[in-house]
Amino acid sequence: MEVAEVLPDAIAWRRHLHAHPELSFQEHQTAAFVRDRLDELDGLALSSPTPTSVVATLSGGRPGPTLAMRADLDALPIQEESGVEFASQVGGVMHACGHDGHTAMLLATARLLGARRQELPGEVRFVFQHAEELPPGGAIEIVRSGALDGVDAVVGCHLMSDMAVGTVAALDDACTAAADVFSIRILGRGGHAAFPQLAVDPIAAAAQSVSSLQHVVAREAPPLESVVVSVTRISGGTADNIIPESVELGGTVRTYSEELRQQTREAMERVVAGVTTAHRAAYEFEYVEGYSSVVNDPSLTALVRDVAGARLVDRPPLMAGEDFSAYLSVAPACFFFVGAGGDGAFPHHHPRFTVDEDALSVGIETLTTTALRFLGVQ
Ligand code: NI
C-alpha cells in the first residue's frame, strides 16, 4: 500500500477533525473518531490510557524493537477566521496549531504499517495523545499510565506554517524550549507617600527587581546560549498619596538547556532576595516549571534526517514549549518538523492559521519510512 492510496482518507479525516475541534482534556469525540478509524484496521490492540487518549499497538510477525509514534489531538480556544469550507463548527474553538493534521497523518501511518504487519519485526505503538496545549499536558499522563513501558524509541512531528511544503527539519539537540512561569510578591510596609521614611516602599524595590532580573540574562548566562526572562505583569498601589503594602510581578522564562534553566531560576531568586533586602522589603518567590525542552536523540535524529533526504532543511529551534518532552523520560526520542506553509502563511495559534494539505503526504511518508527503518525492514 502506498501513501497515495491513504492520502484521500487522510485529508478527509483531517477536515472532519478540523470542523469538530475540542479543547484540551475534553477530546471525547476526537478520541472516539480515532478509535473508530483504528477499529477498521486489522491486528491493532486498542487501549485508552486516559478518558480522551487512544493507544493502538501493532505487533509484528516476529520479535524486534518497539517504537512509539505520537500525535496530539487537542485544539485551541480561538475563534476561527480562516475562511476554509471545513472551518470549525464550534464557536471559539479551532485547530490552529495543526494537531488535526498530526492525528490524520498518524492514522494513515497506522494503516500503511498495519498492511505490512506480517513482515514487521517488533512492535509499533501509535499514541494519540490528549491535551498538548494545556500544562501540565497530556503526555505526562500517558507516561504515568505505563502505556509506553518497554518502548525503545519515541518519534513525533509537528506541521510548521513557517516552513515550505515539501521540507522537513530534524534538529540535533534541543528543538523546543523549556517554558516556565514565575510570580514574585514584594512585601513592603504601606504608609503616607509624604513620609517614605516611615514606610517600606515595595514599588521602588519592584522597579529595581525588574531591572536587575535582566542582568541575570545579560551578566550570568553564557552569551552563546539562549535564555529569555520576561516580566510581563506588574501590579500594586491604589492612590497617588499612598505607598502600598505589596507589589506583584510575574512573567516567563525560556531556556533550552536544563542546566541553564536551573541556574536562571536560582539566580532570579538570589537577585530578588538581594534587591528587596537592600530596600528593607521582603519577598515571596514562586517558580513553576512548565514543559521541559525537547532534546533530540542523536542517532534517532540521524535516522529521521536520512529518511527526509533531499527534503531536509535547517531551521532554528522553537522558543515555544512542547509536552513531547515528557517522553524523553521513557526512551530516546526525536521530534521533527514538517513544512506546511511558507511565505505569507499565518503563524500557529492565529485565527487565520491554515495547513497546506500537500504537507500531509510528506508527514505520512516520513513517519512510515522512519518506522520501517527503525524496525530494520528497509
Ligand atoms: Ni502544536
Side-chain angles (χ1 to χ4, degrees), residues 189-201 243 279-280:
R189 190 169 64 240
H192 198 298
F195 307 101
Q197 76 279 18
L198 301 178
V200 173
D201 184 357
I243 292 171
H279 289 77
R280 296 178 289 136

Side-chain angles (χ1 to χ4, degrees), residues 277-309:
T277 302
H279 289 77
R280 296 178 289 136
Y283 75 95
E284 291 166 4
F285 182 84
E286 189 189 7
Y287 190 100
V288 179
E289 293 194 348
Y291 301 154
S292 297
S293 176
V294 173
V295 181
N296 283 338
D297 174 72
S299 63
L300 198 56
T301 304
L303 171 61
V304 173
R305 292 169 75 99
D306 202 48
V307 167

Side-chain angles (χ1 to χ4, degrees), residues 2-361:
E2 300 294 324
V3 173
E5 293 173 60
V6 296
L7 196 56
D9 279 344
I11 290 171
W13 296 334
R14 183 254 159 174
R15 292 184 176 196
H16 173 88
L17 294 167
H18 192 87
H20 303 92
E22 293 176 298
L23 294 173
S24 312
F25 297 102
Q26 301 171 31
E27 308 92 334
H28 295 281
Q29 288 178 43
T30 306
F33 179 85
V34 166
R35 255 181 180 280
D36 288 347
R37 299 291 79 70
L38 294 169
D39 273 336
E40 293 164 4
L41 305 176
D42 288 333
L44 288 177
L46 303 190
S47 68
S48 298
T50 72
T52 58
S53 62
V54 182
V55 173
T57 300
L58 177 70
S59 298
R62 50 204 167 92
T66 298
L67 176 68
M69 312 188 90
R70 175 270 209 169
D72 38 12
L73 302 174
D74 56 331
L76 287 157
I78 294 173
Q79 179 63 43
E80 179 157 2
E81 296 173 13
S82 70
V84 296
E85 62 193 15
F86 49 91
S88 172
Q89 296 174 15
V90 184
V93 184
M94 174 189 179
H95 269 294
C97 198
H99 299 187
D100 47 346
H102 304 164
T103 302
M105 291 192 299
L106 193 61
L107 283 171
T109 301
R111 186 189 276 186
L112 288 172
L113 292 174
R116 300 179 64 170
R117 187 163 84 95
Q118 293 310 327
E119 60 176 296
L120 295 186
E123 185 181 308
V124 182
R125 283 184 222 169
F126 303 96
V127 180
F128 296 88
Q129 177 220 305
H130 60 304
E132 191 283 320
E133 299 281 4
L134 189 63
I140 189 73
E141 292 189 344
I142 300 280
V143 171
R144 287 184 183 141
S145 77
L148 294 187
D149 289 358
V151 161
D152 297 303
V154 188
V155 167
C157 69
H158 209 296
L159 295 164
M160 296 302 300
S161 77
D162 66 349
M163 287 167 56
V165 175
T167 63
V168 171
L171 307 192
D172 289 320
D173 207 21
C175 64
T176 68
D180 303 334
V181 294
F182 62 88
S183 186
I184 299 164
R185 182 180 279 273
I186 297 184
L187 308 162
R189 190 169 64 240
H192 198 298
F195 307 101
Q197 76 279 18
L198 301 178
V200 173
D201 184 357
I203 289 191
Q208 292 283 344
S209 297
V210 172
S211 301
S212 297
L213 283 172
Q214 290 312 312
H215 289 228
V216 172
V217 179
R219 302 289 78 192
E220 298 206 30
L224 295 182
E225 281 198 50
S226 302
V227 54
V228 176
V229 175
S230 289
V231 178
T232 56
R233 290 188 290 118
I234 178 165
S235 61
T238 54
D240 294 342
N241 60 353
I242 299 171
I243 292 171
E245 281 282 312
S246 66
V247 170
E248 189 152 326
L249 309 173
T252 186
V253 175
R254 305 290 166 113
T255 49
Y256 291 121
S257 104
E258 187 62 26
E259 188 185 349
L260 185 54
R261 182 191 205 180
Q262 298 307 331
Q263 183 188 318
T264 300
R265 174 186 187 152
E266 285 164 28
M268 287 175 67
E269 178 156 15
R270 169 165 42 77
V271 163
V272 171
V275 169
T276 50
T277 302
H279 289 77
R280 296 178 289 136
Y283 75 95
E284 291 166 4
F285 182 84
E286 189 189 7
Y287 190 100
V288 179
E289 293 194 348
Y291 301 154
S292 297
S293 176
V294 173
V295 181
N296 283 338
D297 174 72
S299 63
L300 198 56
T301 304
L303 171 61
V304 173
R305 292 169 75 99
D306 202 48
V307 167
R311 291 189 171 125
L312 196 68
V313 295
D314 209 5
R315 66 157 298 142
L318 306 185
M319 259 301 164
E322 234 300 336
D323 84 339
F324 186 83
S325 54
Y327 300 120
L328 303 184
S329 68
V330 172
C334 179
F335 192 69
F336 62 93
F337 302 115
V338 177
D343 288 346
F346 286 95
H348 292 249
H349 296 204
H350 189 282
R352 293 174 69 184
F353 171 84
T354 54
V355 163
D356 186 325
E357 289 174 337
D358 287 345
L360 299 184
S361 65

